[in-house]
C-alpha cells in the first residue's frame, strides 16, 4: 500500500494501479486499497469503476469512524460522478467533502474541493462563481506551497478566461500554470498547461507557436496516459485546422478525440 500511495501522490497512476493489483487478497480488504484504486482508476479514465471503488472506501472508513478517510473517499466519489456527467451528485459530494475538511481542519482538501466546485460552476457557465472558487483554492494552495494544486487551479482559470473570449488572460493564466507544473515536476500538468497556452496563443494570432505547444501537450498526454487531456488537445488542433480551412485534417483530429472520449464514456 505504501508503494501505491507514493505512486498516487507523485502522479504515477499506472504504476499505482500495477502495485495495487499485485497486493494479496487480505490487503484488498482495507478501505485505503479501495481509495487508492479509485484515485488511480479516475486518472486512467475509468470513472464508473472509480466511483464504485470510492463508495466502497467511504463505507469502510465511515464504519471505522475515520473522518479523514471518509472525506477523501467522498471527494473521489464526487470526481467520479463529475466524470460521468452527473453534476448534481458531484456538487453534493464535493460540498460534503468540503464540510468534512472544515470540521477536521484539512486546508489542503478544502482547497481541492473548492477547485472541484469551480469546475462544476464552469460547466454550468457560472463563470463568476468558478473564478471565486479557483481564487480561493489557489490562495490556499499557495499558502501550503502545493504546486500541483496551484497548477491545476491556474489551468482551470485559463479555461474559464478562454470560454469568456479573454485569450490574453487565458495565456497569462496558462503561463502561471506552466511555471507551477514545472516546479511540481508533473509531466501531466506540464502537458495540460501547454495545450491550454497553445490554444490561447493561436486565438491571439500566434498560430504556429500555438500549434507547436498543443502538439507537445498532446504528446505528453499520450506518454502519461492522460485520457482527459488527450481528447482536449485533439479538439484544439481540430479547431486550428478548421480555422485554416484544412477541413480533412480537422475532421480526422476531431474524430480521434471523439474516439478517446467515447471509450472513456466521458460526456463532456
Amino acid at each position: 500500500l505504501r508503494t501505491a500511495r507514493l505512486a498516487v501522490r507523485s502522479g504515477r497512476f499506472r504504476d499505482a494501479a500495477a502495485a495495487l493489483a499485485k497486493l494479496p487478497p487480505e490487503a484488498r480488504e482495507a478501505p485505503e486499497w479501495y481509495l487508492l484504486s479509485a484515485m488511480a482508476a479516475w486518472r486512467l479514465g475509468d470513472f464508473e469503476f472509480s466511483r464504485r471503488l470510492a463508495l466502497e472506501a467511504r463505507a469502510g472508513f465511515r464504519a471505522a469512524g475515520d473522518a479523514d478517510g471518509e472525506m477523501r473517499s467522498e471527494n473521489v466519489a464526487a470526481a467520479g460522478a463529475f466524470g460521468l456527467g452527473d453534476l448534481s451528485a458531484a456538487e453534493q459530494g464535493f460540498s460534503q467533502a468540503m464540510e468534512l475538511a472544515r470540521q477536521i481542519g484539512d486546508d489542503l482538501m478544502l482547497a481541492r474541493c473548492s477547485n472541484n466546485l469551480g469546475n462544476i460552476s464552469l460547466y454550468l457557465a457560472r463563470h463568476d462563481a468558478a473564478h471565486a472558487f479557483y481564487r480561493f483554492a489557489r490562495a490556499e494552495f499557495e499558502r501550503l506551497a502545493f504546486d500541483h494544486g496551484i497548477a491545476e487551479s491556474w489551468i482551470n482559470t485559463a479555461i474559464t478566461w478562454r470560454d469568456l473570449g479573454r485569450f490574453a488572460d487565458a495565456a497569462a493564466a496558462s503561463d502561471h500554470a506552466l511555471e507551477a507544473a514545472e516546479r511540481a515536476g508533473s509531466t501531466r500538468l506540464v502537458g495540460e498547461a501547454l495545450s491550454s497556452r497553445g490554444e490561447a496563443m493561436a486565438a491571439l494570432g500566434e498560430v504556429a507557436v500555438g500549434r507547436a505547444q498543443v502538439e507537445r501537450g498532446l504528446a505528453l498526454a499520450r506518454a502519461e496516459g492522460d485520457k482527459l487531456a488527450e481528447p482536449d488537445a485533439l479538439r484544439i488542433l481540430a479547431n486550428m485546422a478548421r480555422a485554416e480551412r484544412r477541413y480533412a485534417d480537422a475532421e480526422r483530429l476531431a474524430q480521434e478525440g471523439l474516439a478517446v472520449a467515447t471509450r472513456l464514456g466521458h460526456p463532456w
Side-chain angles (χ1 to χ4, degrees):
L1 282 174
R2 183 171 180 271
T3 299
R5 190 185 308 124
L6 292 172
V8 166
R9 287 177 180 173
S10 61
R12 295 180 289 107
F13 297 105
R14 282 181 291 190
D15 292 345
L20 289 161
K22 293 177 182 176
L23 289 173
E26 59 270 22
R28 300 186 189 195
E29 297 175 4
E32 189 177 8
W33 183 90
Y34 283 102
L35 177 58
L36 292 171
S37 297
M39 294 169 75
W42 196 92
R43 280 298 176 188
L44 295 174
D46 195 340
F47 306 117
E48 178 64 42
F49 186 47
S50 173
R51 181 162 169 75
R52 288 203 308 270
L53 289 167
L55 291 173
E56 287 281 354
R58 186 184 68 178
F61 284 123
R62 186 177 286 172
D66 186 337
D68 177 74
E70 181 183 350
M71 171 194 68
R72 291 183 291 130
S73 302
E74 190 78 70
N75 183 60
V76 178
F82 180 77
L84 293 167
D86 189 345
L87 292 186
S88 178
E91 188 168 30
Q92 182 178 354
F94 289 137
S95 297
Q96 177 63 22
M98 196 173 200
E99 180 56 33
L100 288 168
R102 284 197 181 99
Q103 290 175 14
I104 66 178
D106 189 328
D107 291 340
L108 181 57
M109 181 57 74
L110 199 66
R112 283 174 164 155
C113 290
S114 183
N115 191 56
N116 290 334
L117 287 168
N119 292 340
I120 291 174
S121 293
L122 175 63
Y123 274 106
L124 294 173
R126 302 191 306 231
H127 295 102
D128 288 344
H131 275 307
F133 279 122
Y134 294 147
R135 278 195 300 270
F136 176 81
R138 191 160 56 250
E140 288 296 295
F141 286 139
E142 288 173 350
R143 185 174 65 81
L144 297 167
F146 186 63
D147 287 320
H148 277 82
I150 295 170
E152 287 181 346
S153 63
W154 273 121
I155 289 169
N156 293 334
T157 298
I159 294 169
T160 309
W161 287 132
R162 179 205 70 196
D163 280 5
L164 292 169
R166 293 176 55 170
F167 299 111
D169 289 327
S174 298
D175 284 339
H176 290 306
L178 188 57
E179 291 169 3
E182 288 173 342
R183 288 197 305 271
S186 172
T187 304
R188 175 181 65 83
L189 289 172
V190 166
E192 291 181 19
L194 281 171
S195 291
S196 176
R197 189 178 192 281
E199 183 173 26
M201 294 305 295
L204 291 169
E206 297 286 345
V207 178
V209 172
R211 181 184 296 108
Q213 291 180 334
V214 179
E215 287 174 346
R216 177 61 177 154
L218 175 60
L220 291 175
R222 286 172 168 166
E224 290 294 303
D226 189 344
K227 294 301 182 183
L228 291 177
E230 183 180 354
D232 197 51
L234 288 164
R235 172 192 63 78
I236 297 168
L237 291 171
N239 280 337
M240 289 179 178
R242 182 168 59 90
E244 295 172 330
R245 299 176 183 270
R246 295 186 290 110
Y247 298 119
D249 288 340
E251 182 175 12
R252 174 181 56 79
L253 290 161
Q255 291 287 1
E256 282 185 43
L258 181 60
V260 176
T262 301
R263 285 197 298 273
L264 289 179
H266 193 290
W268 307 113

